Amino acid sequence: MHIALDAMGGDHGSEELIAGALQAVEETGLYVSLVGDESLLNSHLETLAPDSRTAKKITIVHSSEVVGMNEHPATAIRKKKDSSVMVAFDLVRRGVADAAVSAGNSGATMAAGIRKLGRLNGISRPGIASAFPTRKKPVVMMDIGANVDCKPVHLYQFAIMASAFSKITGVQNPKIGLLTIGEETGKGNSLVKETYPLLEKSSLNFIGNVEGRDVFQGDIDVIVCDGFVGNICLKVSEGLADAAMQMLRDEIIKSWIAKIGYLLTRKAFRSFKKRVDYAEYGGAPLLGIDGVGFICHGKSTSHAIKNAIIKAAQMAKGNINRDILASLAAGNNVEHLEM
Amino acid sequence: MHIALDAMGGDHGSEELIAGALQAVEETGLYVSLVGDESLLNSHLETLAPDSRTAKKITIVHSSEVVGMNEHPATAIRKKKDSSVMVAFDLVRRGVADAAVSAGNSGATMAAGIRKLGRLNGISRPGIASAFPTRKKPVVMMDIGANVDCKPVHLYQFAIMASAFSKITGVQNPKIGLLTIGEETGKGNSLVKETYPLLEKSSLNFIGNVEGRDVFQGDIDVIVCDGFVGNICLKVSEGLADAAMQMLRDEIIKSWIAKIGYLLTRKAFRSFKKRVDYAEYGGAPLLGIDGVGFICHGKSTSHAIKNAIIKAAQMAKGNINRDILASLAAGNNVEHLEM
């Protein structure tokens, strides 16, 4: 397996990304191409990887441009043909790499993936899924922001793609829930009501409607929603988690007894934070393109990058797209729907 | 001020509701009509209120039926004309009470309010708002579930109504944000994109798009969204808060040092829980009807009921509907829009 890493994206700079690549190489023995400014990457690599055995599995592929975090994705991709994210996906297109990973501008990563690799045959809207922690096991949500105005067939296809990704992470026959505002059939907005029968008739393991309250319980493997709702869920959750921790801290620092108590519970707090950390689970597969792409959070640490590289390799190895194509073929009944 | 309380709704039974009414009467001196089964309520009242001065401010109004928590709202309201929630709103219609409060089936409460009092002139869709805690001050979100498929004019009217409610809670010139998935103008789904110019042109204090991440920061007073998105936000938040506390507890009980630490921080945890408790903030004004209605969580404790009764009285006293009508009149520019 050979992964192309956009070594210029992300908030922590190339050093952090390269460190993640080195960890992935050491842990699994796969090959990584670092894409970006050659001299910059070379100097970091020399500092970070004195071990020549690891360094041998790392190649640097030069690219002269970088897409900024706040650039308009489509425009940036059109203008910056030699940007690190475009060159990374080009390595996949040319069969040099098996998957591309980027922690840069996520819209641009998606646009580059579609531009270079094209859509998977039969998929009308590629999208972004996200795995996040719950009390029991991670749940995969799709779409989380790529497609804001959706039709039922798009949600149906998100279910197919997210289910295939859930299998890659080790879940057998993933349980799929349709996110809505009441568990009974027939509850929800018109998009949800029209999507329900498509999922019900499909060969997927559809368990019915689920509510926002069920998301973090860990009894569902895949949650399907449009990208507007998915993105808001994700951001509300991040915001709530931060605010709750701040509010708890506000209360704790009011008394010295509580402060001592906090010191004693700190290890538990740290384990908890690790359990819910995006660095462990975060990272979002770009699904529905004719190849494999993986989008990381801009804030990703080297540890998150390592995990993303390994997951991208699993997706390529597990041939996720073959599974998606098979599910699409099994669902001929929805082919006539307006895309 | 005189409040009609549906004394049959809620998960904890009439005793809890009556206790809340008594607390409200003691604290503020307002009058409360308890609506429900006369003999049941009488026996509870005798046990709970030995103080005759308080008891004098409480009247029992008999009703022979109750709408169950899982009944279909519209059907239940049509069939059960003598249900406690219908009779409570009838007291408002007849001018006996200034507002109605119910912790029963919230869909039925909304349906009863519209049926008995009618829509406020110019409002196309009454809805439900909710105030919830953030790090700094409560934020009001509307709609939280009554209207799942919305048009721009509905969101515009939610902004008017929620802003009026925010003023009732003491906020001067409430800051209104439109919930979407990117802060820049032009980000979001088509509903949001079409709503933006309506809010921008209005005389409301519209501060622009806000993201899910901003909801709990406490810098915004009112968040506008459709009822599908609002309900999912609310339920995801409740679910996450529960799951996070469970996960933290899972970590803490792994070590006895952490357990001791937890004991020392318990007071802080309790203060935190109180700060985020729906009993303090929860309760949801029913806005857009020609009168005042307040919906409580089924799980409401007496404390929550007391707060709801006081808030309903404030809404009636502050003449929230006059403010809504004035804002509607100021926004003639959107009157031609399809309702």
Side-chain angles (χ1 to χ4, degrees):
Chain A
M1 281 289 144
H2 183 147
I3 308 299
L5 175 67
D6 170 5
M8 306 300 283
D11 303 342
H12 297 310
S14 299
E15 224 169 328
E16 193 78 24
L17 300 167
I18 296 172
L22 288 166
Q23 288 170 30
V25 170
E26 269 159 33
E27 205 170 304
T28 63
L30 44 75
Y31 290 80
V32 174
S33 286
L34 303 172
V35 184
D37 183 86
E38 194 166 10
S39 65
L40 177 82
L41 300 183
N42 245 328
S43 75
H44 283 317
L45 194 57
E46 269 168 34
T47 327
L48 290 165
D51 175 1
S52 62
R53 238 182 24 163
T54 305
K56 264 185 204 155
K57 297 205 157 191
I58 304 258
T59 322
I60 291 173
V61 176
H62 182 69
S63 81
S64 60
E65 293 169 302
V66 180
V67 174
M69 288 305 252
N70 296 316
E71 282 191 70
H72 184 269
T75 317
I77 288 309
R78 204 170 46 241
K79 286 190 182 161
K80 294 183 170 173
K81 294 203 166 34
D82 200 42
S83 56
S84 50
V85 67
M86 282 289 270
V87 173
F89 274 105
D90 198 59
L91 290 175
V92 181
R93 186 188 62 79
R94 292 193 284 125
V96 177
D98 299 289
V101 174
S102 175
N105 181 322
S106 49
T109 305
M110 169 139 182
I114 296 174
R115 178 80 159 246
K116 286 288 181 187
L117 305 178
R119 285 189 260 167
L120 195 58
N121 196 15
I123 291 292
S124 47
R125 297 258 198 108
I128 304 171
S130 180
F132 53 86
T134 72
R135 202 176 173 200
K136 293 171 196 157
K137 55 188 173 184
V139 61
V140 178
M141 181 179 260
M142 182 167 185
D143 179 52
I144 57 149
N147 303 286
V148 291
D149 288 302
C150 290
K151 290 177 180 162
V153 66
H154 303 142
L155 264 61
Y156 166 76
Q157 293 191 346
F158 297 160
I160 286 177
M161 295 188 273
S163 179
F165 179 70
S166 181
K167 284 183 208 161
I168 291 289
T169 68
V171 179
Q172 311 271 335
N173 202 20
K175 281 183 265 181
I176 299 168
L178 180 61
L179 186 60
T180 186
I181 65 169
E183 282 176 16
E184 312 86 51
T185 317
K187 283 263 186 171
N189 59 11
S190 47
L191 174 63
V192 162
K193 286 181 196 163
E194 289 165 35
T195 303
Y196 193 99
L198 298 184
L199 290 172
E200 206 181 18
K201 277 187 289 182
S202 75
S203 54
L204 297 166
N205 185 12
F206 177 54
I207 59 154
N209 286 342
V210 296
E211 283 197 274
R213 193 191 301 274
D214 308 319
V215 171
F216 294 98
Q217 281 307 311
D219 298 317
I220 311 150
D221 301 303
V222 170
I223 290 177
V224 176
C225 57
D226 70 57
F228 186 80
V229 168
N231 192 277
I232 287 179
C233 276
L234 213 70
K235 296 284 172 67
V236 163
S237 303
E238 283 179 18
L240 174 59
D242 283 353
M245 284 299 141
Q246 283 165 351
M247 284 160 86
L248 193 53
R249 210 173 300 131
D250 292 348
E251 295 300 332
I252 284 169
I253 59 171
K254 281 182 189 163
S255 108
W256 62 268
I257 292 183
K259 272 190 214 165
I260 292 170
Y262 176 67
L263 290 176
L264 300 179
T265 51
R266 250 167 87 178
K267 218 180 126 211
F269 266 89
R270 266 203 295 267
S271 303
F272 165 70
K273 267 192 99 167
K274 203 183 157 201
R275 225 173 124 185
V276 298
D277 191 7
Y278 67 91
E280 298 287 331
Y281 292 95
L286 168 52
L287 299 173
I289 55 170
D290 195 5
V292 173
F294 209 88
I295 296 174
C296 301
H297 205 295
K299 287 192 291 186
S300 294
T301 58
S302 59
H303 184 67
I305 296 296
K306 179 202 78 177
N307 282 347
I309 290 173
I310 292 172
K311 223 165 251 174
Q314 286 169 342
M315 283 167 70
K317 200 177 164 201
N319 210 336
I320 185 169
N321 286 339
R322 192 176 53 196
D323 187 13
I324 294 173
L325 288 170
S327 288
L328 280 176
N332 299 321
N333 53 330
V334 298
E335 264 194 357
H336 65 281
L337 282 170
E338 192 197 354
M339 298 284 186
Chain B
M1 281 289 141
H2 184 145
I3 308 299
L5 175 67
D6 170 4
M8 306 301 283
D11 302 342
H12 297 310
S14 300
E15 223 167 329
E16 192 79 24
L17 300 167
I18 297 172
L22 289 167
Q23 288 170 29
V25 170
E26 269 158 32
E27 205 169 304
T28 62
L30 45 74
Y31 290 80
V32 174
S33 286
L34 303 172
V35 185
D37 183 85
E38 196 167 8
S39 65
L40 177 81
L41 300 183
N42 247 325
S43 76
H44 283 315
L45 194 57
E46 269 167 35
T47 328
L48 289 165
D51 174 3
S52 63
R53 240 187 21 166
T54 305
K56 264 186 206 154
K57 297 207 156 188
I58 304 258
T59 322
I60 291 174
V61 176
H62 182 69
S63 82
S64 61
E65 295 170 300
V66 179
V67 175
M69 289 304 254
N70 296 317
E71 283 192 69
H72 185 268
T75 316
I77 288 308
R78 205 170 47 241
K79 288 191 181 160
K80 295 183 171 173
K81 293 202 167 36
D82 199 42
S83 56
S84 50
V85 67
M86 283 288 271
V87 173
F89 274 104
D90 199 57
L91 291 175
V92 182
R93 187 188 62 80
R94 293 193 284 124
V96 176
D98 299 290
V101 174
S102 176
N105 182 321
S106 48
T109 304
M110 168 137 184
I114 296 173
R115 178 81 158 243
K116 286 289 181 186
L117 306 178
R119 283 188 260 168
L120 195 59
N121 195 15
I123 291 293
S124 46
R125 298 260 198 103
I128 303 170
S130 179
F132 53 85
T134 71
R135 201 177 173 199
K136 294 171 196 155
K137 55 188 172 183
V139 63
V140 178
M141 182 178 260
M142 184 169 183
D143 179 53
I144 59 150
N147 304 284
V148 292
D149 288 302
C150 291
K151 290 176 179 163
V153 67
H154 303 140
L155 264 63
Y156 165 75
Q157 294 190 345
F158 296 160
I160 286 178
M161 295 187 273
S163 178
F165 179 71
S166 180
K167 283 182 207 161
I168 292 287
T169 68
V171 178
Q172 311 272 336
N173 201 20
K175 281 184 263 181
I176 298 167
L178 180 60
L179 187 60
T180 185
I181 67 168
E183 285 178 13
E184 310 86 50
T185 317
K187 282 264 185 169
N189 60 10
S190 47
L191 174 64
V192 163
K193 286 181 197 164
E194 288 166 34
T195 303
Y196 193 98
L198 297 184
L199 291 172
E200 206 181 17
K201 275 188 289 182
S202 75
S203 54
L204 297 166
N205 186 11
F206 177 54
I207 60 155
N209 286 341
V210 297
E211 284 196 275
R213 192 190 301 273
D214 307 319
V215 171
F216 294 98
Q217 281 307 310
D219 298 316
I220 311 150
D221 302 302
V222 170
I223 290 176
V224 175
C225 56
D226 70 57
F228 186 80
V229 168
N231 193 277
I232 286 180
C233 276
L234 214 69
K235 297 286 173 63
V236 162
S237 303
E238 282 178 20
L240 174 59
D242 283 354
M245 284 299 141
Q246 283 166 351
M247 285 160 87
L248 193 52
R249 210 173 300 130
D250 292 347
E251 295 299 333
I252 284 170
I253 59 171
K254 280 183 188 164
S255 107
W256 61 268
I257 291 183
K259 272 190 215 167
I260 293 171
Y262 176 68
L263 290 177
L264 300 179
T265 52
R266 248 166 91 178
K267 219 182 124 212
F269 265 90
R270 266 203 297 266
S271 303
F272 165 70
K273 266 193 102 168
K274 204 184 155 203
R275 225 174 123 185
V276 299
D277 192 6
Y278 68 91
E280 298 287 332
Y281 293 95
L286 169 52
L287 300 173
I289 55 170
D290 195 5
V292 173
F294 210 87
I295 297 173
C296 302
H297 205 294
K299 287 191 291 187
S300 294
T301 57
S302 59
H303 185 68
I305 297 297
K306 179 202 76 175
N307 283 346
I309 290 173
I310 293 173
K311 225 166 248 174
Q314 287 170 343
M315 283 167 71
K317 199 177 163 201
N319 211 335
I320 185 168
N321 285 339
R322 192 175 53 196
D323 187 13
I324 294 173
L325 289 170
S327 289
L328 279 176
N332 299 321
N333 52 328
V334 298
E335 264 192 357
H336 65 280
L337 281 170
E338 192 198 354
M339 298 284 188

